[in-house]
Amino acid sequence: GAAPAPVAQRAVVTSTPVSASTANAATTALESASGWVSGTTRRSAEQWHSWLFTQSSLRGTSLDGDWGEIGPPGLVPSLALRQRFDQLMTTLGEVNATELRAMVQSLAERDLGRDAAQVMAVWDRYMALINAPLASRPDLSDPQQWLAVLREQQAQRRQMLGADWATAFFADDEAQLSATVQRLADHPSSPQSAPEAH
């Protein structure tokens, strides 16, 4: 004695089945209207580009930085590549980490072809760095302790990115932090606040 199925459920069971061709046509129409395709591996660079600049939080903007130059030894380390990475990372939450990587790869391949593989190798190392914890937890009201964090960050960046990429990506930040610590050490009465964390 199972209870009778609800009316709505009976309606589904007894309704005319939707053919595969009809379902596919409906999906195609929806995707065509939205410019979107289900499944990260099926989204083209044009679809990513359209979503990025018409629907995402970056709509109405243009890409910061660039993909970098390909020299005889390969991709040349540059701050411009980090600027592009950082801007694209702001869409995390609108897309998940897998989709974000697929978007970066698709856009890079559109512009660089097979050389995009070098960009993605740096992307993967950069994402690992972003998510790597720091052992130091200093008192940020004491600027002298910021140097401990800086030294740890420098070592971690060079280990995970390599010296050339770490320098290209972070040399300006590290110099700014060192100058801030020195300024506050020379003028201890100045208001002390931690610089923006990267």
Side-chain angles (χ1 to χ4, degrees):
V7 173
Q9 186 173 343
R10 281 201 208 102
V12 171
V13 172
T14 59
S15 64
T16 303
V18 176
S19 68
S21 60
T22 301
N24 289 339
T27 300
T28 301
L30 177 62
E31 291 172 347
S32 176
S34 64
W36 204 246
V37 178
S38 302
T40 57
T41 59
R42 294 176 57 202
R43 297 173 190 166
S44 67
E46 288 70 26
Q47 288 169 323
W48 278 120
H49 190 275
S50 175
W51 173 81
L52 195 61
F53 298 115
T54 64
Q55 300 177 49
S56 79
S57 57
L58 294 179
R59 59 187 176 275
T61 67
S62 57
L63 283 178
D64 287 342
D66 57 50
W67 297 119
E69 298 180 6
I70 306 296
L75 185 63
V76 178
S78 68
L79 177 59
L81 183 59
R82 180 191 160 195
Q83 292 169 336
R84 177 153 297 186
F85 284 172
D86 286 349
Q87 184 194 32
L88 292 170
M89 281 173 56
T90 64
T91 64
L92 195 57
E94 300 170 78
V95 292
N96 63 37
T98 300
E99 291 170 326
L100 176 60
R101 189 185 188 282
M103 176 171 64
V104 174
Q105 182 172 2
S106 185
L107 295 174
E109 286 176 346
R110 179 193 61 179
D111 295 339
L112 299 177
R114 285 188 290 182
D115 288 329
Q118 298 180 58
V119 169
M120 297 314 298
V122 180
W123 169 269
D124 289 337
R125 296 201 303 270
Y126 187 48
M127 291 304 99
L129 174 66
I130 293 293
N131 292 296
L134 288 172
S136 300
R137 292 292 183 271
D139 177 5
L140 292 181
S141 66
D142 180 2
Q144 290 300 325
Q145 291 193 34
W146 300 348
L147 290 177
V149 174
L150 176 59
R151 284 191 291 270
E152 182 182 352
Q153 284 182 326
Q154 286 175 322
Q156 190 179 68
R157 290 163 177 170
R158 281 149 183 77
Q159 178 184 9
M160 299 183 74
L161 291 177
D164 291 343
W165 281 104
T167 299
F169 276 18
F170 295 106
D172 291 346
D173 292 344
E174 292 169 356
Q176 182 180 8
L177 178 57
S178 294
T180 299
V181 171
Q182 186 60 53
R183 176 177 57 80
L184 293 175
D186 293 342
H187 304 87
S189 61
S190 300
Q192 297 181 359
S193 60
E196 179 181 359
H198 292 279

